[in-house]
């Protein structure tokens, strides 16, 4: 159809203009990639900065390949937001794109039919879909045979660097091996150092063409503002937000911080919205559109707003708290300044950042005994086990258990099938060296991030060197290069206002209503006559206000509660809109902080003129620590007990009871403790704790 390379390039330029505007022209590396895919049918890895035009490569190549009669392009894409943007871009270029993901299962059958009938140019799938049993066994083989092009977006997730984010990405190496000869493959990313680039290219196969460009972002003005307290950071943000150009993103490290900051900024008159992985999909989409249309000043977001969110005129990115690595940070700030001459990038590091990093690090691949226990449970069962059934046998949270099973699936030790998982019987070795290497690399990345905060050299050059960008040089734009550092000064009144907000006590804690799955004798709804009322906690451990104080308290060992903290708990009680005032107090027994918990309960009873009814007991030692609900319930049931004298006191008190503990993690101690108190005769139980983790 195309007479020569010149004619092919002319058509490629035409398609680019349809996609990106009349003034768009192909970069040399864009054309090199397109030519390699369309003419030579090669495998190509493109590592280029955010905004360079990686999606243009695969959309232009798709159009050219379709003109040559090839099958549809299959794009493996990690996030729904990214898929939505890619579909919109494809439509602008006259390319028919559809997606299969968790949000549209009712449309999958129709989409498969359209693909089979040749009515689809691009099919976007999530990496998890690759191991859906029906898709993997019935749809993927046919797609692999008929595809004109296979694209892997955000390909750094193939590497160990990203294995905890999406273990399903590691399955792509197998897909590459099984593709018929002559099907070109394109992998793209903006976030890869030399090690990750080499790793991905090796998994793509021998002869992969690597096109790696400089990562300079000429529009970004990077800076760091160091403020010692959370209230100063919050006040500075409220004071500075309207000075920043256009609209932007304020990143936080936790969901709690995103909601806390968004709420405060709204109170200060700023148009902002909170955004996290826990936000409902429709609400997330509405928030994205509000930012895209400049109807709000900022989204206060976790990393859930990341890869693929495309707003060319995004004027600023602020981080309240530092990400764990320069790689993650440079990727997130890359959202800004794609289509404007100047974008502000500001980092407000917090003293609590390292604690949050440590928490996320603790969620890495489980130790070998836990993995072996999982394989043994599957082998002993001799058939398919659901994830909930495995939860009762393996001490991991649901999310960590599923992540581990996916890694074992990729490694060939287990297989996902309809109804759950089964052991394959294949030998499997615990790659301790690999997991230790990953842990070591992450520690190095954290150290490098601390180095970014303290460097007096060019900040952009520092980040680019961490990404092994050989072209890195001083940018001449950041605060260190120009000597223009943003002032950390804030009006005292603004700091006090923020402090008052952060120390405003009280978090509602939902009561458990369902027993965990996988238990033989407990299932379904918790009986109303044994259930607790919604409870309260002074604060969340992940809050930027009370969270810091509570972490300090718990790290300090056992002892009485500070007066300031107790007064705040009294405020929580005074604002609690309970149906009937409690008449008594019972506390959960504590193995680690007995003086704190017992003193908390007795002091509450004294100040509130309530009856201290005593303490629940343990039959044989405390239950220890478990990480999933089924295991936790089993452990607590076998240890937690109602002393006879406490049960008698509860029966005699004749009214609602406050059930007190130092912290609520899974909520099962409070749930089972409440059931004991209700069984003893209390008409209602009101859980109260100093801290909650959620």
């Amino acid at each position: 159809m195309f007479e020569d390379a010149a004619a092919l390039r002319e058509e490629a330029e035409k398609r680019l203009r349809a996609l990106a505007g009349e003034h768009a022209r192909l970069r040399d590396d864009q054309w090199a990639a397109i030519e390699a895919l369309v003419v030579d049918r090669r495998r190509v890895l493109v590592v280029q900065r955010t905004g360079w035009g990686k999606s243009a490569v695969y959309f232009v190549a798709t159009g050219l390949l379709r003109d040559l009669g090839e099958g549809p392009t299959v794009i493996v894409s990690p996030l729904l937001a990214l898929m939505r943007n890619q579909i919109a871009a494809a439509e602008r270029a006259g390319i028919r794109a559809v997606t299969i993901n968790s949000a549209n299962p009712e449309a999958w059958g129709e989409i498969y039919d359209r693909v089979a009938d040749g009515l689809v140019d691009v099919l976007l799938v999530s990496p998890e879909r690759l191991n859906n049993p029906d898709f993997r066994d019935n749809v993927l083989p046919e797609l692999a045979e008929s595809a004109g092009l296979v694209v892997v977006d955000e390909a750094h997730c193939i590497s160990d660097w990203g294995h905890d984010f999406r273990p399903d990405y590691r399955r792509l190496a197998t897909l590459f091996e099984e593709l018929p000869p002559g099907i070109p493959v394109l992998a793209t990313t903006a976030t890869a150092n030399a090690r990750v680039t080499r790793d991905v290219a090796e998994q793509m196969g021998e002869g992969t063409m690597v096109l790696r460009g400089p990562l300079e972002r000429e529009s970004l003005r990077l800076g760091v503002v160091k403020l010692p307290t959370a209230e100063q950071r919050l006040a500075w943000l409220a004071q500075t937000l309207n000075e920043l150009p256009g609209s932007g993103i304020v990143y936080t490290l936790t969901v709690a911080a995103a909601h806390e900051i968004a709420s405060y900024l709204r109170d200060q008159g700023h148009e902002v919205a909170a955004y996290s992985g826990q936000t409902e999909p429709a609400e997330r989409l509405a928030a994205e559109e509000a930012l895209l249309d400049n109807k709000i000043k900022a989204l206060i977001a976790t990393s859930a707003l990341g890869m693929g969110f495309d707003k060319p005129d995004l004027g600023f990115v602020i981080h309240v708290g530092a990400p764990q690595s320069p790689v993650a940070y440079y990727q997130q700030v890359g959202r800004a300044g794609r289509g404007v001459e100047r974008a502000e990038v500001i980092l407000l590091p917090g003293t609590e950042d390292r604690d949050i990093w440590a928490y996320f690090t603790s969620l890495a691949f489980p130790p070998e005994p836990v993995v072996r226990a999982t394989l043994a449970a599957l082998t002993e069962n001799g058939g398919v086990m659901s994830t909930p059934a495995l939860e009762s046998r393996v001490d991991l949270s649901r999310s960590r258990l599923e992540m581990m099973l996916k890694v074992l699936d990729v490694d060939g030790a287990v297989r996902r099938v309809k109804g759950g998982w089964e052991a394959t019987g294949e030998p499997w070795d615990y790659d301790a060296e690999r997991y230790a290497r990953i842990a070591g690399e992450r520690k190095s990345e954290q150290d490098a991030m601390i180095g970014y905060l303290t460097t007096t050299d060019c900040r952009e050059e520092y980040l680019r060197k961490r990404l092994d960008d050989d072209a890195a040089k001083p940018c001449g734009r950041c605060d260190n290069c120009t000597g223009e550092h943003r002032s950390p000064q804030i009006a005292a009144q603004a700091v006090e206002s923020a402090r008052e907000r952060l120390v405003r006590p009280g978090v509602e804690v939902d009561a458990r209503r369902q027993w965990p799955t996988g238990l033989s004798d407990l299932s379904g709804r918790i009986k109303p006559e044994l259930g607790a009322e919604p409870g309260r906690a002074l604060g969340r451990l992940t809050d930027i206000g009370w969270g810091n104080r509570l972490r300090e308290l718990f790290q300090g060992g056992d002892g009485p509660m500070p007066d300031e903290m107790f007064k705040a708990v009294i405020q929580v009680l005074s604002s609690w809109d309970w149906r009937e005032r409690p008449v008594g107090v019972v506390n959960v027994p504590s193995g680690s902080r007995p003086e704190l918990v017992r003193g908390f309960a007795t002091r509450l009873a004294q100040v509130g003129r309530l009856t201290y009814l005593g303490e629940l007991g343990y039959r044989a030692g405390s239950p220890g620590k478990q990480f999933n609900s089924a295991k936790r319930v089993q452990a607590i049931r076998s240890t937690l007990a109602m002393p006879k004298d406490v049960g008698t006191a509860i029966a005699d008190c004749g009214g609602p009871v406050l059930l007190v503990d130092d912290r609520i993690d899974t909520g099962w101690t409070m749930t089972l403790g409440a059931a004991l108190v209700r069984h003893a005769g209390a008409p209602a139980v009101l859980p109260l704790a100093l801290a909650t983790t959620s």
Side-chain angles (χ1 to χ4, degrees):
M1 181 173 181
F2 303 107
E3 296 178 1
D4 51 29
L8 182 66
R9 177 153 189 169
E10 183 179 344
E11 180 62 22
E13 296 279 6
K14 177 182 175 182
R15 288 186 174 275
L16 178 70
R17 290 193 294 273
L19 181 69
E22 282 302 313
H23 299 292
R25 296 292 182 272
L26 284 172
R27 305 175 190 272
D28 289 343
D29 276 0
Q30 284 178 315
W31 168 244
I34 292 168
E35 186 176 37
L37 294 167
V38 176
V39 177
D40 302 325
R41 308 298 170 98
R42 292 186 64 181
R43 296 185 176 187
V44 181
L45 170 60
V46 174
V47 183
Q48 298 284 357
R49 61 178 175 77
T50 301
W52 177 84
K54 296 181 289 295
S55 61
V57 171
Y58 50 75
F59 284 134
V60 170
T62 293
L64 297 174
L65 287 165
R66 293 293 276 166
D67 284 347
L68 292 169
E70 300 298 341
T73 291
V74 178
I75 301 178
V76 181
S77 185
L79 298 175
L80 293 180
L82 184 54
M83 290 183 181
R84 288 194 293 268
N85 289 336
Q86 287 167 325
I87 289 173
E91 289 175 351
R92 291 195 299 272
I95 292 172
R96 300 164 296 181
V98 296
T99 178
I100 295 172
N101 60 65
S102 58
N104 68 343
E106 72 287 344
W108 292 351
E110 178 191 348
I111 290 171
Y112 294 154
D113 291 341
R114 290 176 61 195
V115 172
D117 292 340
L119 301 177
V120 169
D121 299 317
V122 169
L123 175 66
L124 293 107
V125 300
S126 66
E128 288 78 7
R129 192 61 33 209
L130 299 176
N131 199 37
N132 171 274
D134 182 57
F135 186 87
R136 179 195 63 212
D137 297 336
N138 301 319
V139 178
L140 188 58
E142 186 176 339
L143 272 179
E145 285 288 339
S146 63
L149 171 66
V150 174
V151 177
V152 180
D153 215 347
E154 307 300 346
H156 58 271
C157 295
I158 297 174
S159 172
D160 283 339
W161 185 91
H163 97 280
D164 282 350
F165 170 65
R166 284 286 172 86
D168 288 292
Y169 259 89
R170 291 180 54 218
R171 195 180 316 281
L172 289 166
T174 303
L175 175 63
F176 296 151
E177 292 174 2
E178 295 175 351
L179 284 175
I183 294 182
V185 176
L186 171 66
T188 67
T189 182
T191 311
N193 56 21
R195 181 185 66 79
V196 172
T197 299
R198 184 170 57 252
D199 186 15
V200 175
E202 287 174 357
Q203 294 193 51
M204 291 180 69
E206 187 177 348
T208 294
M209 172 190 283
V210 178
L211 297 170
R212 181 182 170 98
L215 301 176
E216 182 179 16
R217 293 296 309 279
E218 296 179 356
S219 63
L220 300 185
R221 268 63 178 174
L222 278 68
V224 173
V225 180
K226 296 179 182 178
L227 297 158
T229 67
E231 52 261 35
Q232 287 175 312
R233 292 192 291 278
L234 195 55
W236 187 94
L237 181 60
Q239 175 180 287
T240 307
L241 200 58
N242 280 338
E243 300 173 9
L244 298 173
S247 55
I249 301 170
V250 177
Y251 279 111
T252 68
L253 297 184
T254 68
V255 173
H259 287 278
E260 197 168 21
I261 292 171
S263 178
Y264 178 75
L265 291 175
R266 283 194 293 268
D267 287 350
Q268 297 299 305
H270 297 288
E271 291 289 333
V272 299
Y275 186 107
S276 75
Q278 296 180 15
T279 307
E280 291 295 325
E283 189 178 340
R284 270 198 271 178
L285 179 58
E288 290 173 24
E289 290 176 345
L291 183 61
L292 289 168
D293 295 338
N294 295 316
K295 292 180 179 178
I296 57 176
K297 183 66 177 179
L299 281 183
I300 317 302
T302 65
S303 59
L305 183 71
M307 292 184 293
F309 182 78
D310 186 12
K311 178 176 167 59
D313 61 341
L314 200 73
F316 61 89
V317 169
I318 298 176
H319 281 75
V320 182
Q324 291 192 66
S325 74
V327 176
Y329 184 61
Y330 204 57
Q331 181 189 67
Q332 289 177 351
V333 302
R335 308 265 74 79
R338 299 182 185 187
V340 293
E341 291 185 2
R342 180 186 180 105
E344 300 294 328
V345 173
I346 305 165
L347 176 54
L348 307 175
T351 55
E352 67 276 9
D353 294 352
R354 295 192 198 197
D355 289 340
I356 296 171
W357 295 351
Y359 169 74
F360 287 125
T361 298
S362 73
L363 302 181
F365 196 72
E368 184 171 5
V370 177
V371 185
R372 294 293 178 194
T374 306
L375 293 173
L378 286 168
T379 302
E380 291 165 9
N381 183 68
V384 178
M385 287 187 75
S386 67
T387 306
L390 272 169
E391 267 190 311
S392 66
R393 303 277 299 275
V394 181
D395 189 14
L396 287 175
S397 66
R398 175 72 62 88
S399 59
R400 288 193 74 199
L401 176 59
E402 289 182 337
M403 184 275 286
M404 181 187 72
L405 287 166
K406 288 178 179 179
V407 173
L408 292 175
D409 190 340
V410 174
D411 290 345
V414 306
R415 177 176 170 83
R416 185 180 176 190
V417 294
K418 286 187 176 180
W421 306 85
E422 64 181 10
T424 63
E426 295 295 323
W428 179 81
D429 292 323
Y430 187 87
D431 196 346
E433 182 181 347
R434 173 172 164 246
Y435 303 133
R437 174 170 51 79
I438 293 170
E441 286 163 356
R442 293 200 169 162
K443 175 62 167 62
S444 296
E445 289 173 341
Q446 292 172 359
D447 291 343
M449 198 65 216
I450 293 169
Y452 175 78
L453 304 178
T454 57
T455 185
T456 57
D457 296 329
C458 172
R459 296 197 191 276
E460 183 173 300
E461 181 183 26
Y462 182 94
L463 292 173
R464 290 172 63 187
K465 282 183 175 179
R466 302 290 87 70
L467 281 157
D468 299 314
D469 183 355
D470 294 336
K473 61 183 186 301
C475 69
R477 300 179 301 274
C478 71
D479 57 356
N480 284 344
C481 283
T482 63
E484 298 173 1
H485 295 267
R486 284 186 172 271
S487 171
Q489 298 301 313
I490 322 121
Q493 184 177 356
V495 176
E496 180 59 24
S497 172
R499 192 193 73 81
E500 289 176 1
R501 179 53 180 259
L502 290 177
V503 300
R504 184 185 299 174
V507 174
E508 183 166 328
V509 180
D510 292 333
R512 291 278 193 177
R513 297 300 179 207
Q514 295 274 140
W515 293 114
T517 53
L519 295 174
S520 58
D521 59 339
L522 287 179
S523 62
R525 289 184 61 81
I526 297 171
K527 293 179 180 179
E529 61 268 24
L530 296 178
E533 301 296 308
R536 295 291 187 277
L538 174 59
R540 298 182 184 89
L541 287 175
T542 51
D543 286 344
I544 59 174
W546 278 109
N548 293 336
R549 295 172 173 84
L550 289 164
R551 285 195 300 273
E552 289 175 7
L553 175 71
F554 294 154
Q555 289 166 0
D558 196 16
M561 186 190 314
D563 289 343
E564 178 195 17
M565 194 170 285
F566 184 76
K567 290 176 182 176
V569 173
I570 297 301
Q571 285 184 254
V572 174
L573 290 171
S574 65
S575 63
W576 196 338
D577 186 23
W578 41 50
R579 286 181 289 185
E580 186 179 352
R581 189 178 189 275
V583 298
V585 181
V586 172
N587 65 275
V588 173
S590 174
S592 57
R593 287 180 282 272
E595 183 181 349
L596 173 66
V597 176
R598 195 175 299 121
F600 178 22
T602 55
R603 193 174 176 187
L604 271 179
Q606 181 181 13
V607 171
R609 296 187 175 87
L610 308 174
T611 302
Y612 178 63
L613 303 169
E615 180 175 88
L616 300 181
Y618 288 126
R619 292 190 185 93
S622 67
K625 189 172 182 62
Q626 296 77 36
F627 297 98
N628 74 46
S629 290
K631 283 283 186 183
R632 184 67 179 159
V633 168
Q634 289 171 333
I636 297 169
R637 287 177 73 196
S638 66
T639 54
L640 192 64
M642 174 65 73
K644 187 174 181 180
D645 59 333
V646 178
T648 300
I650 291 170
D652 292 343
C653 82
V657 171
L658 278 174
L659 183 59
V660 172
D661 203 353
D662 55 349
R663 58 187 284 174
I664 296 174
D665 291 316
T666 64
W668 288 116
T669 300
M670 277 293 192
T671 301
L672 290 159
L676 290 175
V677 175
R678 291 293 306 276
H679 186 71
V685 173
L686 304 163
L688 175 67
L690 290 177
T692 177
T693 55
S694 60

